[in-house]
Amino acid sequence: MPLRSVFWQKLRRPEIAAARDAGAVVLIPVGSTEQHGAHLPVDMDIAAATAVCVRAAEQVTEFPVLVAPPIWSGYSPHHMENPGTITLRHETFTALLTDVVDSIMHHGFRHLILINGHGGNVGHLAALANKLTTSGRPIAQTSWWNLVGDDFREILEGMLKGVGHACEAETSCYLALDPTGVDMNLAVQHEEASYIVPADEAIFRAAGMDFPAVFRAGSPGVHGDPTRATAEKGERILAIAASRLAAFIRAYRQIDLSQVPALFPE
Ligand SMILES: [Zn+2]
């Protein structure tokens, strides 16, 4: 029986139980609500992550794949100087995700995958997945752009051959998903290299050192060239990400996760 909807929250109790009994894989889209320049809506990151999950889930027909209610919130204090951003603290973010993951596992689902759409979440999600996995709740996670990888080189025309912020890739995805949300008249090309205090980026780069970037007040809020964005590029990007995710889902489900040791208590 095909699922009536891939969205967990649209299903009824017996439908979710049947999906569980059929060995469903559950995708959890994670994003943020944050400023994305003047031309994009603040739901950019969760919109892209959710779209990749839904498209992948719809491609897998051999077993059910559910998309959990999208996590609209993430870790974005570095965007708080500009309006629109709603951030969680690290503790809130990881506690929220832990409770969501534990709830889904509590109902008997074993194969869960976190699909992230926000760069600021990357380190937090890696630490969370490590903690969950070593305490007996293994979970796979990635950011959707990792599924696209080198294919960005073929698709994108600007200097940046990947995802920056409110950039060519992200704007293209939004144009593909909902062109009414984008105001291309306000799209500007900009390279954001803003530290918390004035400092030469080259010093850090030469030493292989990371120093977190922030989007200070009045910044265009863009890193990359959204003026080159098109819906056609967005369709290509989303299609590649979704088909790679679908392939991973099929392989991941083959792995036996029924007996996983807890190496260390939470
Ligand atoms: Zn973004």
Side-chain angles (χ1 to χ4, degrees), residues 100-142:
V100 170
V101 167
D102 282 350
S103 296
I104 294 169
M105 288 188 177
H106 175 82
H107 295 303
F109 295 89
R110 286 288 162 265
H111 294 86
L112 278 60
I113 307 172
L114 295 163
I115 297 296
N116 176 46
H118 170 48
N121 291 344
V122 168
H124 306 267
L125 286 175
L128 174 70
N130 196 321
K131 182 177 174 183
L132 289 169
T133 299
T134 53
S135 58
R137 302 109 96 196
I139 188 161
Q141 63 94 17
T142 194

mmCIF file of all heavy atoms in Angstrom, residues 100-142:
data_model
loop_
_atom_site.group_PDB
_atom_site.id
_atom_site.type_symbol
_atom_site.label_atom_id
_atom_site.label_comp_id
_atom_site.label_asym_id
_atom_site.label_seq_id
_atom_site.Cartn_x
_atom_site.Cartn_y
_atom_site.Cartn_z
ATOM 1 N N VAL A 100 13.002 14.688 19.560
ATOM 2 C CA VAL A 100 12.331 14.256 18.321
ATOM 3 C C VAL A 100 12.835 12.877 17.913
ATOM 4 O O VAL A 100 12.046 11.964 17.625
ATOM 5 C CB VAL A 100 12.569 15.292 17.192
ATOM 6 C CG1 VAL A 100 12.106 14.748 15.847
ATOM 7 C CG2 VAL A 100 11.857 16.605 17.513
ATOM 8 N N VAL A 101 14.160 12.709 17.914
ATOM 9 C CA VAL A 101 14.756 11.417 17.525
ATOM 10 C C VAL A 101 14.309 10.316 18.488
ATOM 11 O O VAL A 101 13.893 9.227 18.062
ATOM 12 C CB VAL A 101 16.300 11.536 17.492
ATOM 13 C CG1 VAL A 101 16.958 10.160 17.411
ATOM 14 C CG2 VAL A 101 16.732 12.418 16.327
ATOM 15 N N ASP A 102 14.370 10.598 19.781
ATOM 16 C CA ASP A 102 13.986 9.577 20.765
ATOM 17 C C ASP A 102 12.510 9.195 20.630
ATOM 18 O O ASP A 102 12.140 8.033 20.799
ATOM 19 C CB ASP A 102 14.269 10.076 22.186
ATOM 20 C CG ASP A 102 15.758 9.979 22.542
ATOM 21 O OD1 ASP A 102 16.514 9.356 21.767
ATOM 22 O OD2 ASP A 102 16.154 10.535 23.581
ATOM 23 N N SER A 103 11.663 10.181 20.330
ATOM 24 C CA SER A 103 10.233 9.884 20.162
ATOM 25 C C SER A 103 10.014 8.948 18.982
ATOM 26 O O SER A 103 9.251 7.981 19.066
ATOM 27 C CB SER A 103 9.443 11.181 19.932
ATOM 28 O OG SER A 103 9.518 12.014 21.054
ATOM 29 N N ILE A 104 10.684 9.240 17.869
ATOM 30 C CA ILE A 104 10.507 8.417 16.657
ATOM 31 C C ILE A 104 11.052 7.013 16.906
ATOM 32 O O ILE A 104 10.411 6.013 16.567
ATOM 33 C CB ILE A 104 11.179 9.108 15.450
ATOM 34 C CG1 ILE A 104 10.443 10.414 15.133
ATOM 35 C CG2 ILE A 104 11.202 8.181 14.234
ATOM 36 C CD1 ILE A 104 11.159 11.314 14.142
ATOM 37 N N MET A 105 12.212 6.923 17.565
ATOM 38 C CA MET A 105 12.783 5.602 17.865
ATOM 39 C C MET A 105 11.912 4.849 18.875
ATOM 40 O O MET A 105 11.783 3.634 18.808
ATOM 41 C CB MET A 105 14.213 5.750 18.381
ATOM 42 C CG MET A 105 15.206 6.164 17.296
ATOM 43 S SD MET A 105 16.922 6.105 17.886
ATOM 44 C CE MET A 105 17.820 6.542 16.369
ATOM 45 N N HIS A 106 11.307 5.588 19.803
ATOM 46 C CA HIS A 106 10.434 4.978 20.803
ATOM 47 C C HIS A 106 9.298 4.198 20.144
ATOM 48 O O HIS A 106 8.859 3.170 20.659
ATOM 49 C CB HIS A 106 9.860 6.078 21.703
ATOM 50 C CG HIS A 106 8.859 5.602 22.700
ATOM 51 N ND1 HIS A 106 9.217 5.034 23.901
ATOM 52 C CD2 HIS A 106 7.494 5.584 22.665
ATOM 53 C CE1 HIS A 106 8.120 4.703 24.572
ATOM 54 N NE2 HIS A 106 7.065 5.021 23.842
ATOM 55 N N HIS A 107 8.831 4.680 18.994
ATOM 56 C CA HIS A 107 7.728 4.013 18.296
ATOM 57 C C HIS A 107 8.205 2.860 17.425
ATOM 58 O O HIS A 107 7.398 2.259 16.715
ATOM 59 C CB HIS A 107 6.943 5.033 17.472
ATOM 60 C CG HIS A 107 6.255 6.057 18.319
ATOM 61 N ND1 HIS A 107 5.367 5.728 19.307
ATOM 62 C CD2 HIS A 107 6.370 7.409 18.364
ATOM 63 C CE1 HIS A 107 4.936 6.830 19.911
ATOM 64 N NE2 HIS A 107 5.536 7.857 19.369
ATOM 65 N N GLY A 108 9.517 2.590 17.460
ATOM 66 C CA GLY A 108 10.014 1.391 16.792
ATOM 67 C C GLY A 108 10.693 1.625 15.458
ATOM 68 O O GLY A 108 11.061 0.660 14.792
ATOM 69 N N PHE A 109 10.862 2.865 15.059
ATOM 70 C CA PHE A 109 11.607 3.156 13.828
ATOM 71 C C PHE A 109 13.101 3.101 14.148
ATOM 72 O O PHE A 109 13.531 3.610 15.188
ATOM 73 C CB PHE A 109 11.232 4.537 13.284
ATOM 74 C CG PHE A 109 9.794 4.636 12.847
ATOM 75 C CD1 PHE A 109 8.798 5.000 13.742
ATOM 76 C CD2 PHE A 109 9.431 4.348 11.538
ATOM 77 C CE1 PHE A 109 7.462 5.082 13.352
ATOM 78 C CE2 PHE A 109 8.097 4.432 11.132
ATOM 79 C CZ PHE A 109 7.113 4.800 12.045
ATOM 80 N N ARG A 110 13.867 2.474 13.253
ATOM 81 C CA ARG A 110 15.296 2.283 13.510
ATOM 82 C C ARG A 110 16.189 3.101 12.587
ATOM 83 O O ARG A 110 17.275 3.503 12.969
ATOM 84 C CB ARG A 110 15.656 0.793 13.348
ATOM 85 C CG ARG A 110 15.189 -0.082 14.488
ATOM 86 C CD ARG A 110 16.016 0.147 15.756
ATOM 87 N NE ARG A 110 15.338 -0.356 16.945
ATOM 88 C CZ ARG A 110 14.583 0.388 17.745
ATOM 89 N NH1 ARG A 110 14.399 1.678 17.495
ATOM 90 N NH2 ARG A 110 14.000 -0.127 18.802
ATOM 91 N N HIS A 111 15.731 3.303 11.349
ATOM 92 C CA HIS A 111 16.583 3.969 10.357
ATOM 93 C C HIS A 111 16.137 5.423 10.199
ATOM 94 O O HIS A 111 15.172 5.719 9.501
ATOM 95 C CB HIS A 111 16.538 3.228 9.022
ATOM 96 C CG HIS A 111 17.149 1.864 9.097
ATOM 97 N ND1 HIS A 111 16.431 0.751 9.499
ATOM 98 C CD2 HIS A 111 18.414 1.437 8.857
ATOM 99 C CE1 HIS A 111 17.229 -0.307 9.487
ATOM 100 N NE2 HIS A 111 18.441 0.077 9.109
ATOM 101 N N LEU A 112 16.869 6.323 10.887
ATOM 102 C CA LEU A 112 16.562 7.750 10.860
ATOM 103 C C LEU A 112 17.725 8.494 10.205
ATOM 104 O O LEU A 112 18.894 8.111 10.378
ATOM 105 C CB LEU A 112 16.370 8.295 12.276
ATOM 106 C CG LEU A 112 15.001 8.097 12.949
ATOM 107 C CD1 LEU A 112 14.631 6.637 13.090
ATOM 108 C CD2 LEU A 112 14.976 8.782 14.312
ATOM 109 N N ILE A 113 17.398 9.531 9.471
ATOM 110 C CA ILE A 113 18.432 10.337 8.813
ATOM 111 C C ILE A 113 18.087 11.814 9.005
ATOM 112 O O ILE A 113 16.970 12.243 8.684
ATOM 113 C CB ILE A 113 18.516 10.027 7.294
ATOM 114 C CG1 ILE A 113 18.682 8.527 7.050
ATOM 115 C CG2 ILE A 113 19.661 10.823 6.656
ATOM 116 C CD1 ILE A 113 18.572 8.130 5.570
ATOM 117 N N LEU A 114 19.048 12.571 9.525
ATOM 118 C CA LEU A 114 18.887 14.021 9.644
ATOM 119 C C LEU A 114 19.398 14.668 8.357
ATOM 120 O O LEU A 114 20.536 14.406 7.941
ATOM 121 C CB LEU A 114 19.705 14.561 10.820
ATOM 122 C CG LEU A 114 19.306 14.098 12.228
ATOM 123 C CD1 LEU A 114 20.436 14.373 13.215
ATOM 124 C CD2 LEU A 114 18.039 14.818 12.684
ATOM 125 N N ILE A 115 18.559 15.495 7.722
ATOM 126 C CA ILE A 115 18.972 16.206 6.507
ATOM 127 C C ILE A 115 18.956 17.699 6.821
ATOM 128 O O ILE A 115 17.902 18.315 6.997
ATOM 129 C CB ILE A 115 18.035 15.888 5.325
ATOM 130 C CG1 ILE A 115 18.101 14.394 4.985
ATOM 131 C CG2 ILE A 115 18.408 16.740 4.102
ATOM 132 C CD1 ILE A 115 19.462 13.904 4.502
ATOM 133 N N ASN A 116 20.137 18.261 6.883
ATOM 134 C CA ASN A 116 20.292 19.643 7.307
ATOM 135 C C ASN A 116 20.301 20.609 6.114
ATOM 136 O O ASN A 116 20.789 20.282 5.042
ATOM 137 C CB ASN A 116 21.625 19.765 8.068
ATOM 138 C CG ASN A 116 21.932 21.193 8.468
ATOM 139 O OD1 ASN A 116 21.066 21.901 8.988
ATOM 140 N ND2 ASN A 116 23.157 21.632 8.213
ATOM 141 N N GLY A 117 19.787 21.823 6.374
ATOM 142 C CA GLY A 117 19.783 22.849 5.333
ATOM 143 C C GLY A 117 20.469 24.137 5.735
ATOM 144 O O GLY A 117 20.388 25.128 5.012
ATOM 145 N N HIS A 118 21.152 24.143 6.898
ATOM 146 C CA HIS A 118 21.729 25.407 7.407
ATOM 147 C C HIS A 118 23.170 25.203 7.847
ATOM 148 O O HIS A 118 23.443 24.365 8.727
ATOM 149 C CB HIS A 118 20.859 25.905 8.570
ATOM 150 C CG HIS A 118 21.456 27.037 9.339
ATOM 151 N ND1 HIS A 118 21.995 28.144 8.724
ATOM 152 C CD2 HIS A 118 21.614 27.234 10.667
ATOM 153 C CE1 HIS A 118 22.452 28.969 9.653
ATOM 154 N NE2 HIS A 118 22.239 28.439 10.839
ATOM 155 N N GLY A 119 24.072 25.963 7.261
ATOM 156 C CA GLY A 119 25.495 25.829 7.570
ATOM 157 C C GLY A 119 25.803 25.959 9.052
ATOM 158 O O GLY A 119 26.661 25.244 9.584
ATOM 159 N N GLY A 120 25.099 26.850 9.741
ATOM 160 C CA GLY A 120 25.355 27.074 11.160
ATOM 161 C C GLY A 120 25.014 25.873 12.033
ATOM 162 O O GLY A 120 25.419 25.809 13.198
ATOM 163 N N ASN A 121 24.274 24.923 11.483
ATOM 164 C CA ASN A 121 23.902 23.733 12.258
ATOM 165 C C ASN A 121 24.938 22.617 12.162
ATOM 166 O O ASN A 121 24.852 21.638 12.923
ATOM 167 C CB ASN A 121 22.570 23.147 11.742
ATOM 168 C CG ASN A 121 21.377 24.029 12.042
ATOM 169 O OD1 ASN A 121 21.445 24.922 12.876
ATOM 170 N ND2 ASN A 121 20.278 23.776 11.345
ATOM 171 N N VAL A 122 25.860 22.724 11.233
ATOM 172 C CA VAL A 122 26.695 21.572 10.861
ATOM 173 C C VAL A 122 27.438 20.981 12.060
ATOM 174 O O VAL A 122 27.342 19.776 12.331
ATOM 175 C CB VAL A 122 27.677 21.968 9.733
ATOM 176 C CG1 VAL A 122 28.734 20.892 9.528
ATOM 177 C CG2 VAL A 122 26.916 22.206 8.430
ATOM 178 N N GLY A 123 28.184 21.807 12.781
ATOM 179 C CA GLY A 123 28.961 21.289 13.907
ATOM 180 C C GLY A 123 28.088 20.725 15.006
ATOM 181 O O GLY A 123 28.410 19.698 15.621
ATOM 182 N N HIS A 124 26.966 21.377 15.246
ATOM 183 C CA HIS A 124 26.052 20.940 16.302
ATOM 184 C C HIS A 124 25.439 19.585 15.970
ATOM 185 O O HIS A 124 25.277 18.726 16.833
ATOM 186 C CB HIS A 124 24.954 21.993 16.511
ATOM 187 C CG HIS A 124 25.502 23.351 16.777
ATOM 188 N ND1 HIS A 124 25.716 23.837 18.040
ATOM 189 C CD2 HIS A 124 25.926 24.317 15.931
ATOM 190 C CE1 HIS A 124 26.247 25.049 17.965
ATOM 191 N NE2 HIS A 124 26.375 25.364 16.692
ATOM 192 N N LEU A 125 25.099 19.401 14.705
ATOM 193 C CA LEU A 125 24.496 18.125 14.287
ATOM 194 C C LEU A 125 25.509 16.994 14.315
ATOM 195 O O LEU A 125 25.176 15.866 14.663
ATOM 196 C CB LEU A 125 23.901 18.259 12.885
ATOM 197 C CG LEU A 125 22.600 19.055 12.806
ATOM 198 C CD1 LEU A 125 22.181 19.234 11.355
ATOM 199 C CD2 LEU A 125 21.497 18.373 13.592
ATOM 200 N N ALA A 126 26.755 17.297 13.949
ATOM 201 C CA ALA A 126 27.787 16.253 13.991
ATOM 202 C C ALA A 126 27.995 15.795 15.434
ATOM 203 O O ALA A 126 28.083 14.590 15.715
ATOM 204 C CB ALA A 126 29.089 16.787 13.394
ATOM 205 N N ALA A 127 28.051 16.751 16.362
ATOM 206 C CA ALA A 127 28.238 16.392 17.768
ATOM 207 C C ALA A 127 27.030 15.608 18.286
ATOM 208 O O ALA A 127 27.172 14.619 19.017
ATOM 209 C CB ALA A 127 28.453 17.658 18.598
ATOM 210 N N LEU A 128 25.845 16.039 17.902
ATOM 211 C CA LEU A 128 24.625 15.355 18.344
ATOM 212 C C LEU A 128 24.577 13.922 17.817
ATOM 213 O O LEU A 128 24.276 12.985 18.574
ATOM 214 C CB LEU A 128 23.389 16.124 17.858
ATOM 215 C CG LEU A 128 22.056 15.426 18.130
ATOM 216 C CD1 LEU A 128 21.737 15.429 19.615
ATOM 217 C CD2 LEU A 128 20.929 16.076 17.344
ATOM 218 N N ALA A 129 24.879 13.739 16.526
ATOM 219 C CA ALA A 129 24.829 12.394 15.933
ATOM 220 C C ALA A 129 25.859 11.489 16.596
ATOM 221 O O ALA A 129 25.599 10.300 16.823
ATOM 222 C CB ALA A 129 25.066 12.479 14.427
ATOM 223 N N ASN A 130 27.002 12.042 16.935
ATOM 224 C CA ASN A 130 28.034 11.271 17.625
ATOM 225 C C ASN A 130 27.522 10.794 18.979
ATOM 226 O O ASN A 130 27.626 9.616 19.342
ATOM 227 C CB ASN A 130 29.272 12.164 17.788
ATOM 228 C CG ASN A 130 30.504 11.364 18.137
ATOM 229 O OD1 ASN A 130 30.416 10.415 18.907
ATOM 230 N ND2 ASN A 130 31.648 11.746 17.595
ATOM 231 N N LYS A 131 26.919 11.721 19.708
ATOM 232 C CA LYS A 131 26.410 11.389 21.051
ATOM 233 C C LYS A 131 25.288 10.351 20.973
ATOM 234 O O LYS A 131 25.264 9.383 21.745
ATOM 235 C CB LYS A 131 25.907 12.675 21.712
ATOM 236 C CG LYS A 131 25.395 12.509 23.115
ATOM 237 C CD LYS A 131 24.999 13.876 23.646
ATOM 238 C CE LYS A 131 24.335 13.778 24.990
ATOM 239 N NZ LYS A 131 23.901 15.120 25.455
ATOM 240 N N LEU A 132 24.371 10.542 20.033
ATOM 241 C CA LEU A 132 23.262 9.588 19.898
ATOM 242 C C LEU A 132 23.780 8.205 19.509
ATOM 243 O O LEU A 132 23.347 7.183 20.036
ATOM 244 C CB LEU A 132 22.266 10.084 18.835
ATOM 245 C CG LEU A 132 21.422 11.307 19.207
ATOM 246 C CD1 LEU A 132 20.688 11.832 17.980
ATOM 247 C CD2 LEU A 132 20.436 10.969 20.314
ATOM 248 N N THR A 133 24.713 8.192 18.587
ATOM 249 C CA THR A 133 25.207 6.919 18.068
ATOM 250 C C THR A 133 25.981 6.144 19.125
ATOM 251 O O THR A 133 25.834 4.922 19.252
ATOM 252 C CB THR A 133 26.081 7.171 16.821
ATOM 253 O OG1 THR A 133 25.262 7.797 15.819
ATOM 254 C CG2 THR A 133 26.663 5.880 16.269
ATOM 255 N N THR A 134 26.786 6.824 19.920
ATOM 256 C CA THR A 134 27.579 6.122 20.931
ATOM 257 C C THR A 134 26.764 5.772 22.173
ATOM 258 O O THR A 134 27.235 5.060 23.046
ATOM 259 C CB THR A 134 28.816 6.951 21.341
ATOM 260 O OG1 THR A 134 28.385 8.252 21.729
ATOM 261 C CG2 THR A 134 29.811 7.039 20.200
ATOM 262 N N SER A 135 25.544 6.298 22.252
ATOM 263 C CA SER A 135 24.684 5.924 23.382
ATOM 264 C C SER A 135 23.570 4.984 22.931
ATOM 265 O O SER A 135 22.514 4.906 23.573
ATOM 266 C CB SER A 135 24.122 7.179 24.060
ATOM 267 O OG SER A 135 23.394 7.943 23.131
ATOM 268 N N GLY A 136 23.793 4.303 21.804
ATOM 269 C CA GLY A 136 22.867 3.253 21.394
ATOM 270 C C GLY A 136 21.766 3.677 20.451
ATOM 271 O O GLY A 136 20.851 2.894 20.175
ATOM 272 N N ARG A 137 21.819 4.937 19.965
ATOM 273 C CA ARG A 137 20.776 5.395 19.020
ATOM 274 C C ARG A 137 21.447 5.904 17.745
ATOM 275 O O ARG A 137 21.516 7.121 17.511
ATOM 276 C CB ARG A 137 19.943 6.528 19.629
ATOM 277 C CG ARG A 137 19.271 6.131 20.928
ATOM 278 C CD ARG A 137 19.950 6.840 22.091
ATOM 279 N NE ARG A 137 19.240 8.041 22.463
ATOM 280 C CZ ARG A 137 19.782 9.000 23.222
ATOM 281 N NH1 ARG A 137 21.035 8.912 23.644
ATOM 282 N NH2 ARG A 137 19.077 10.048 23.538
ATOM 283 N N PRO A 138 21.940 4.977 16.921
ATOM 284 C CA PRO A 138 22.689 5.407 15.738
ATOM 285 C C PRO A 138 21.823 6.215 14.780
ATOM 286 O O PRO A 138 20.646 5.898 14.585
ATOM 287 C CB PRO A 138 23.108 4.088 15.093
ATOM 288 C CG PRO A 138 22.116 3.091 15.578
ATOM 289 C CD PRO A 138 21.736 3.524 16.961
ATOM 290 N N ILE A 139 22.422 7.254 14.216
ATOM 291 C CA ILE A 139 21.666 8.097 13.280
ATOM 292 C C ILE A 139 22.619 8.656 12.239
ATOM 293 O O ILE A 139 23.739 9.073 12.564
ATOM 294 C CB ILE A 139 20.914 9.218 14.040
ATOM 295 C CG1 ILE A 139 19.965 9.960 13.085
ATOM 296 C CG2 ILE A 139 21.862 10.182 14.741
ATOM 297 C CD1 ILE A 139 18.877 10.750 13.797
ATOM 298 N N ALA A 140 22.195 8.624 10.990
ATOM 299 C CA ALA A 140 22.986 9.203 9.895
ATOM 300 C C ALA A 140 22.585 10.663 9.732
ATOM 301 O O ALA A 140 21.435 11.039 9.980
ATOM 302 C CB ALA A 140 22.734 8.433 8.608
ATOM 303 N N GLN A 141 23.524 11.477 9.319
ATOM 304 C CA GLN A 141 23.186 12.886 9.081
ATOM 305 C C GLN A 141 24.101 13.483 8.036
ATOM 306 O O GLN A 141 25.263 13.105 7.909
ATOM 307 C CB GLN A 141 23.268 13.695 10.386
ATOM 308 C CG GLN A 141 24.635 13.783 11.035
ATOM 309 C CD GLN A 141 25.430 15.028 10.624
ATOM 310 O OE1 GLN A 141 24.883 15.985 10.100
ATOM 311 N NE2 GLN A 141 26.742 15.002 10.871
ATOM 312 N N THR A 142 23.542 14.431 7.281
ATOM 313 C CA THR A 142 24.351 15.223 6.365
ATOM 314 C C THR A 142 23.613 16.520 6.079
ATOM 315 O O THR A 142 22.447 16.689 6.442
ATOM 316 C CB THR A 142 24.630 14.470 5.035
ATOM 317 O OG1 THR A 142 25.691 15.149 4.340
ATOM 318 C CG2 THR A 142 23.405 14.428 4.132
#
